[in-house]
Amino acid sequence: MRDRWIFLLIVGVLAVGPFVQREVIATEILIFAVVALANNLILGYTGMLSFGQATFFGVGAYAAGLLTIHAGLPLPVVLAAATVLATGLAVLIGAVCVQRIGLYFIMLTFAFNQMFYFIAYSWTTLTGGEDGLPGVRRPAALADDLTFYVLVALLFLACLLLMKRVVDSPWGRVFRAIRDNEARAAAVGHDVRRYKLLSFTISAAFTGFAGALYSLLYGIVPIDAIHWLRSGDIVFMTLIGGSGHFFGPIIGAAFFIWLSETVSVVWDRWPMILGVVFALVVLFLRGGVVELIRRGHGLVTARGGAATAP
Amino acid sequence: MTPIDRRTFLAGSTALGAAAMVGGVPAVARAAKTTTILGIFPLTGPYADTGPLMSKAAEMALKEVDYEVAGQKLRYVTRDSETKAGSATRRAEEAIASDDVKYIVGPWSSGVALAVGEVARKRKVVHWFSGGTEDISGKRCHRYAFQWAASPWTAMDVVLATFRKQNQKAKRLYLFIVDYAFGWSLQKYVETLAPGHGFEVVGVDRHPLGQREYSSYITKAAATNPDAIYMVNFGLDTVSAVRQLFNFGMTPKIPVILSWSAGVEELVQMSPEMRQNMLVGTNFYYTIDTPVAKKFVAEYRKQDSKGLPPGYAPGASYGCMRMVLAGMRAAKSTDVPAVIKATEGLKIDDLVGEQTVVARNHQTVRPYFVLKTTPKSEMKDDYDFGTIINSSAKEQPGELNECKDIGSL
Amino acid sequence: MSALLEVRDVSKSFGAVAAVAGVSLAVTEGRLHSIIGPNGAGKTTLFNCITGEVQPTAGRILYDGRDITGLPPHALPALGIARSFQRTSIFPTLTVAENVWVSAYARRETRGGPVLVPADRVEGVGETVRAALAEVGLAAHAERPAAVLAHGDQRLLDFAIALAARPRLLLLDEPTAGLSRQETQRVIAYIGTLKGRYTIVLIEHKMDVVMTLSDRVSVMYFGRLLAEGTPPEIRGDARVREAYLGKRA
Amino acid sequence: MLFLVVSQIINGVVTGMIYALVGVGLTLILGVLNIPNFAHGVLFAFGAYILLSVLQVVGNFWLALLIAPFGVVLLGLLLELVGVRRLYTAHHDYQLLFLFAVALILQETIILIWGPIGTSVLPPAGLQGAVNLGLTVYPKYRLAVMGITAAIVAGTWLFLTRTNVGAIVRAGIENREMVAVLGIDIQKVFALTFGLGAWLAGVAGGLASPIMGLTPSMGFDILPIAFVIVVVAGLGSVPGAILAGILTGVAQSLTTIVFPEAANVVIYLLMGLMILVRPQGLFGKR
């Protein structure tokens, strides 16, 4: 019931979005909202911290860009192919990474990210390397930014619903069980690694899909789409929004992009402000913006104790 | 998954939305007569050292005219390009939307510039850039983008000619090339031009952008017994390579040629010992003998806390901004199509001497400079890095230019 | 009288240390078989060999006549083996019902069919969950997060999770460890009600618990099997008294 | 060709030794504290910059190299005290967010203090220039670095294996609970380890500065390499980190002979192969 209201609220925000922000930026926020939501499938729901989500974002983006430029395939085929490619890659990378837990998992995903970054960087005939892959043209019908925004908004809603279904499905529940207690989940008969791989792969599929949309947004796939700092951004969006709530990462993506845009205009040394905000979140506001909303609500309603219990 | 109820979420989201709105409210209602120019420079990221200097210099050109040209008010806004094409694109888009930007100057690296150029084309705003990619006025040329830096062909030609004049016996060149579009196009010209000047390329090493460890390239180069190390790279890459050439005892035995240098900002990072026996090709050096340059350098140094003279980076942003203004003056308007038409074929005596904008490809034909570094004992002050010993404005032969159709407005 | 679980000559060493050295035992179907021993006797290592957490260095483990040596932990429930953990092991942020569901779902009868349905609508799992919760008396708490339950209730939830797997063989690892006296009484009483319905292997070091509940007792000492018999036999065994009881007295 | 291979191997070893210094510090922190120290690179950078400032005051490179790393230790201990200490029980995600934030803040601090433009430090007098090794000429300073890092690494190893404090740190890697059971204040062990890691990063930064120069971004440049070393080495393994550092350096420099464009990819390929063949790393246990 509650979810339905939030969902309606999101639809409302999507409707006014392009009037509040430039279409392309509103679109970019939605694309990263999908990425952050997908990241939360593994981070918030399955308890795996991947520092390599940009691998799938970048591969999705490059695949979509290359297919559009060289093959001239229709958009749905491009999006599907990019998603499939990212998914396939996630199965391979994931199969190695899920063998390990904790710091090792983080570093393996990070290292794979680096590997694919340097491949993209060095394979300039394919990717354009440092200069990026330009000339990704949208179909004429979508050339207008508002039209593209509408498409992305609809796809965003579709992704949102789909991920919500995953989370509410038996898979989602087993993911949470694994996050809570891996040994116990195995002892009751769940093949933990297979489920982790499943979660990792689903997440990568959405990430790759979002990457494909990103390539069409500005008509270019920049090399930074696959850089490890991008992976960091994705984790931070998720955490700042709040990994403890399904919808949290959406707020996180919007807040992250809004914050880095706003402070970068204010001060040249803006990453410092960003750093301070991150540090404050860690020290005083674990749970992110969602937690802030929760606490704010607790203050307002005074008897909101039940709602604020962890 | 702790539940939170709907009202909480609603309240929070509304607050957040409001905050976002305050941050993102477009300045649509600004006075109609004001034209906004965006300086987009790397304030953070790999080239964070140059961005602030460039932005300062660009704004100096506007201050000189008191933010007014052809009866139109001008406004200057800045954004951080981060040397990330993605971020730069987004910020350019955002600035065009929220600040109604009509002209863009910057950024600093080619890949990012090409991405910003795409935005300029799409949004129909003028883009001035100075950099090593020949694509801006080459195969990715379009009506809205202009290149201030000399053509790589011009640059390589004069650098090789100067080295020949300096060193009659030299023959064998070893190339260090940064491995991306900028490096490749310059490498192509070095390799085709070298025989004409009597040189032979005895080896080429391509290194990634951001390379900090050159020892392996250096030992490889030393093995070929070259008469000079010829570098096509930039910024920190160049500085690191020079530092290590010195450590290996190659400097000053073997001349080092920085063929496309940032000038001051690179040279100041090296100690005088590392700068011995060096030839430096650059688009701008602060001793250029033009009235515009003299005034600019004096003013710039006055503003710098250490009295550091401007290098190529601030020179370029200042030069680009002056070209924007010259175009407006010629058009007697700040209207974008009018200014583009007036800029095409524009010929002015400006920062680096005579500068002509080729209508066909939007390349500025202007002198490219070669310096010889000053030995430590002869340095008049800390910033006396070298003396200009040659310059040339020879235009790239038309058949080598890849801009086949500049397109329409 | 057939053995449901048979441990044959199992050894496990960590480096030079032999934690378990050539232990054999057979657990008869329907009985409650306890393994006792002082701390460090190798009980838990033996237990972990049975549950697949640890690979034995030598020996075989047979279940219902089938060799299960080296099977990973997650493969055992499908065969009818369920376990509890020494420290209460539940899913703290899931609700009580969801905790049990996770186990019941792993043993669901119907496979295939649409995947992305709401978890609670998976056929046949709900009944198992309700039955298991009713069995341990936690039905009233079904919708509460497991983390807020009292210690004893959490331990019972742990049992419910195991029971929801509809096992033939229950492996209980020190089920009263860390519980208060009162809670211990409750859990023992509860295990008493399981007796006869399941084959149970109980690891314990509290003697009183073992002696009242067990059909049969194996005593481990320094990685070896010291003695095996009925509770009265064990109580009367001199070696056991010397090695174990004597020490504690 | 032979001399090229030989000199590339020497190059690789020297670079690898510096990598190893950074890697050893990182692997200690990772192994004992179990936190992903994304601020490790920036500690390396501070090592170089503090050396620069100290050098301007004292005028002697060696003295500066002796003093500067302790500035980094202070910085590390401060970090540990203010933030890291409160995060030992937190999930890795928050640890990572915090340390990344610290890295951002410190990198910008470098720009604010020392300016955005990089700078150079000359090798100490007497170690400038190159020496003829017969097969190849080689910079004296780099040879010295090889010796110094070897001494530091050996010293660190002796400290860890031969002293009581070191034994406690190692025990912290093997089994943290055991340390607590032994009645040792684990908090102190953590702080000590973080300090030691910071010191190693600081020394590495200082030693590297005449070779690599100083730039505000130098910390973010070295960080990924440090992580690769730890993965290849096996988490918490000091000998592994040394070997992995050298392997990485050598692999990188040998690649430049045949395929310079791939010099950066190769270390990640190496790491990928390593994971497939020996997922626990060279010296990792599991």
Side-chain angles (χ1 to χ4, degrees), chain D residues 193-226:
Chain D
T193 311
F194 205 87
L196 180 61
W199 184 80
L200 286 165
V203 173
L207 271 176
S209 60
I211 299 174
M212 301 182 184
L214 297 88
T215 64
S217 63
M218 64 193 291
F220 272 92
D221 292 340
I222 197 132
L223 186 67
I225 296 175

Side-chain angles (χ1 to χ4, degrees), chain B residues 87-370:
Chain B
S87 303
T89 306
R90 184 208 303 145
R91 297 231 164 87
E93 286 275 4
E94 176 270 325
I96 291 169
S98 50
D99 283 319
D100 197 26
V101 164
K102 292 289 182 224
Y103 295 81
I104 301 178
V105 171
W108 190 224
S109 60
S110 305
V112 184
L114 289 165
V116 171
E118 290 289 317
V119 178
R121 187 210 320 242
K122 214 163 68 182
R123 301 289 166 209
K124 299 191 183 308
V125 301
V126 174
H127 177 215
W128 267 95
F129 170 69
S130 176
T133 172
E134 57 174 354
D135 290 354
I136 295 247
S137 54
K139 63 170 180 274
R140 282 165 70 184
C141 66
H142 59 83
R143 213 51 195 281
Y144 293 90
F146 293 89
Q147 167 71 283
W148 185 79
S151 146
W153 185 91
T154 310
M156 296 307 102
D157 186 55
V158 62
V159 169
L160 288 167
T162 313
F163 184 52
R164 169 53 65 222
K165 238 192 299 180
Q166 288 286 305
N167 197 327
Q168 298 296 340
K169 274 182 281 177
K171 208 169 157 49
R172 304 163 63 81
L173 301 181
Y174 197 95
L175 273 50
F176 285 2
I177 307 285
V178 62
D179 192 16
Y180 71 107
F182 154 72
W184 310 333
S185 60
L186 270 68
Q187 180 189 348
K188 179 183 71 189
Y189 291 130
V190 177
E191 284 175 340
T192 50
L193 288 167
H197 293 281
F199 295 113
E200 181 198 347
V201 174
V202 294
V204 180
D205 264 324
R206 284 188 177 177
H207 65 78
L209 183 72
Q211 181 72 27
R212 296 288 169 267
E213 180 51 55
Y214 290 83
S215 48
S216 10
Y217 305 113
I218 293 170
T219 24
K220 261 181 87 179
T224 64
N225 229 342
D227 294 325
I229 301 289
Y230 192 105
M231 293 211 263
V232 180
N233 48 19
F234 202 77
L236 281 175
D237 293 359
T238 307
V239 177
S240 307
V242 167
R243 177 183 299 119
Q244 290 166 26
L245 281 167
F246 172 75
N247 286 347
F248 269 81
M250 303 274 280
T251 312
K253 278 193 301 210
I254 296 171
V256 175
I257 301 169
L258 315 187
S259 65
W260 187 275
S261 169
V264 172
E265 284 88 22
E266 274 168 18
L267 299 170
V268 74
Q269 299 190 46
M270 308 164 188
S271 60
E273 292 83 356
M274 299 174 190
R275 290 195 299 259
Q276 300 168 87
N277 198 8
M278 189 181 274
L279 218 53
V280 183
T282 182
N283 276 289
F284 179 84
Y285 190 64
Y286 74 100
T287 59
I288 291 172
D289 192 19
T290 67
V292 179
K294 284 195 159 132
K295 189 163 163 258
F296 165 60
V297 170
E299 182 59 31
Y300 183 96
R301 295 188 76 163
K302 208 157 66 187
Q303 289 184 21
D304 190 276
S305 56
K306 291 178 190 159
L308 184 73
Y312 163 41
S317 62
Y318 179 79
C320 284
M321 191 62 92
R322 281 187 67 91
M323 291 306 284
V324 170
L325 297 175
M328 290 173 174
R329 236 177 263 121
K332 297 191 176 58
S333 153
T334 57
D335 178 48
V336 167
V339 170
I340 290 176
K341 283 180 195 141
T343 310
E344 293 171 342
L346 184 72
K347 183 176 196 165
I348 55 171
D349 213 2
D350 207 75
L351 184 62
V352 296
E354 194 176 272
Q355 304 178 185
T356 312
V357 180
V358 180
R360 177 167 46 81
N361 58 12
H362 287 192
Q363 169 67 45
T364 308
V365 175
R366 35 70 51 92
Y368 189 81
F369 305 90
V370 184

Side-chain angles (χ1 to χ4, degrees), chain D residues 3-269:
Chain D
F3 88 95
L4 196 58
V5 173
V6 170
S7 58
Q8 292 303 69
I9 289 174
I10 304 176
N11 272 330
V13 172
V14 173
T15 321
M17 294 291 264
I18 290 180
Y19 288 171
L21 272 189
V22 184
V24 168
L26 185 62
T27 205
L28 281 176
I29 293 179
L30 256 54
V32 178
L33 281 69
N34 194 29
I35 56 163
N37 187 16
F38 268 71
H40 205 72
V42 86
L43 293 175
F44 172 81
F46 260 87
Y49 272 96
I50 295 177
L51 175 112
L52 175 73
S53 290
V54 176
L55 183 61
Q56 278 159 3
V57 177
V58 301
N60 180 306
F61 182 88
W62 300 116
L63 192 57
L65 185 65
L66 209 62
I67 299 170
F70 289 96
V72 183
V73 170
L74 284 181
L75 186 68
L77 291 178
L78 185 73
L79 270 184
E80 204 274 340
L81 191 71
V82 174
V84 176
R85 173 164 298 193
R86 307 165 66 163
L87 294 173
Y88 288 132
T89 53
H91 286 293
H92 288 318
D93 44 7
Y94 286 109
Q95 297 171 343
L96 189 140
L97 182 57
F98 180 78
L99 288 159
F100 195 87
V102 166
L104 279 181
I105 295 170
L106 290 181
Q107 177 172 324
E108 296 301 313
T109 306
I110 290 179
I111 296 180
L112 288 177
I113 299 178
W114 288 282
I117 301 182
T119 186
S120 298
V121 169
L122 281 182
L127 286 181
Q128 296 181 4
V131 59
N132 197 334
L133 294 180
L135 272 171
T136 177
V137 290
Y138 206 76
K140 292 181 203 157
Y141 180 71
R142 282 180 187 245
L143 292 174
V145 165
M146 195 156 34
I148 295 167
T149 41
I152 292 172
V153 164
T156 308
W157 183 239
L158 287 178
F159 168 75
L160 288 174
T161 50
R162 297 290 160 82
T163 65
N164 288 336
V165 184
I168 293 168
V169 171
R170 275 191 306 132
I173 300 176
E174 307 275 328
N175 188 346
R176 218 188 301 187
E177 277 152 33
M178 193 181 86
V179 175
V181 170
L182 291 174
I184 294 157
D185 183 355
I186 194 83
Q187 200 71 261
K188 280 197 190 123
V189 179
F190 285 175
L192 177 87
T193 311
F194 205 87
L196 180 61
W199 184 80
L200 286 165
V203 173
L207 271 176
S209 60
I211 299 174
M212 301 182 184
L214 297 88
T215 64
S217 63
M218 64 193 291
F220 272 92
D221 292 340
I222 197 132
L223 186 67
I225 296 175
F227 274 105
V228 168
I229 289 167
V230 174
V231 170
V232 173
L235 222 59
S237 163
V238 172
I242 298 164
L243 194 59
I246 294 171
L247 265 180
T248 311
V250 172
Q252 233 177 349
S253 63
L254 284 181
T255 315
T256 55
I257 303 180
V258 280
F259 189 20
E261 290 87 345
N264 272 325
V265 185
V266 77
I267 62 173
Y268 298 101
L269 285 175

Side-chain angles (χ1 to χ4, degrees), chain A residues 2 5-6 9-10 19-22 24-25 28 32 44-45 118 121-122 124-125 130-132 134-135 137-138 145 176 179 214 217-220 222-224 229-230 233 243-248 251 254-255 257-258 260-262 264-265 268-271 289-290 293-294 297 301 307-310, chain B residues 1-14 16-17 19-26 43-45 48 52 78-80 82-87 89-91 93-98 109-112 114-115 118-119 121-123 133 135 140 178-182 184 207-210:
Chain A
R2 187 186 302 121
W5 281 106
I6 297 177
L9 173 75
I10 290 171
F19 301 103
V20 184
Q21 276 286 3
R22 176 95 199 182
V24 286
I25 293 166
E28 186 169 343
F32 279 104
Y45 282 88
F118 278 112
Y121 183 93
S122 309
T124 42
T125 46
E130 170 73 14
D131 283 353
R137 300 255 184 278
R138 300 202 284 258
D145 284 336
R176 284 162 57 212
R179 174 201 61 197
Y214 183 76
L217 174 61
Y218 295 122
I220 181 171
I223 185 77
D224 39 286
L229 287 173
R230 173 76 73 191
D233 290 348
S243 58
H245 192 280
F246 177 74
F247 295 99
I251 305 180
F255 182 74
I257 292 175
W258 171 76
S260 57
E261 289 317 287
T262 312
S264 73
V265 177
D268 289 355
R269 302 271 61 84
W270 61 273
V289 176
V290 169
I293 296 171
R294 196 175 286 154
H297 181 67
T301 58
T308 53
Chain B
M1 299 294 111
T2 320
I4 59 166
D5 69 287
R6 170 179 54 84
R7 267 187 308 146
T8 328
F9 197 91
L10 194 87
S13 312
T14 318
L16 206 78
M21 241 184 278
V22 175
V25 166
L43 305 175
T44 59
T78 60
R79 292 290 187 276
D80 183 2
E82 293 182 47
T83 309
K84 284 184 190 167
S87 303
T89 306
R90 184 208 303 145
R91 297 231 164 87
E93 286 275 4
E94 176 270 325
I96 291 169
S98 50
S109 60
S110 305
V112 184
L114 289 165
E118 290 289 317
V119 178
R121 187 210 320 242
K122 214 163 68 182
R123 301 289 166 209
T133 172
D135 290 354
R140 282 165 70 184
V178 62
D179 192 16
Y180 71 107
F182 154 72
W184 310 333
H207 65 78
L209 183 72

Side-chain angles (χ1 to χ4, degrees), chain A residues 162 165-171 173-174 176-192 195 310, chain C residues 73-74 77 83-85 89-94 98 101-103 105-107 115-120 122 158 161-162:
Chain A
L162 206 54
R165 287 203 79 156
V166 170
V167 166
D168 291 339
S169 77
W171 287 352
R173 193 170 283 173
V174 177
R176 284 162 57 212
I178 290 171
R179 174 201 61 197
D180 269 15
N181 189 338
E182 204 173 315
R184 188 51 158 150
V188 301
H190 294 295
D191 187 340
V192 168
Y195 273 100
Chain C
H74 66 77
R83 65 170 293 189
S84 76
F85 285 76
S89 186
I90 56 173
F91 308 109
T93 72
L94 269 57
E98 283 171 340
W101 181 95
V102 171
S103 171
Y105 176 72
R107 291 275 283 129
V115 182
L116 291 185
V117 294
D120 285 329
V122 178
D158 201 334
I161 294 172

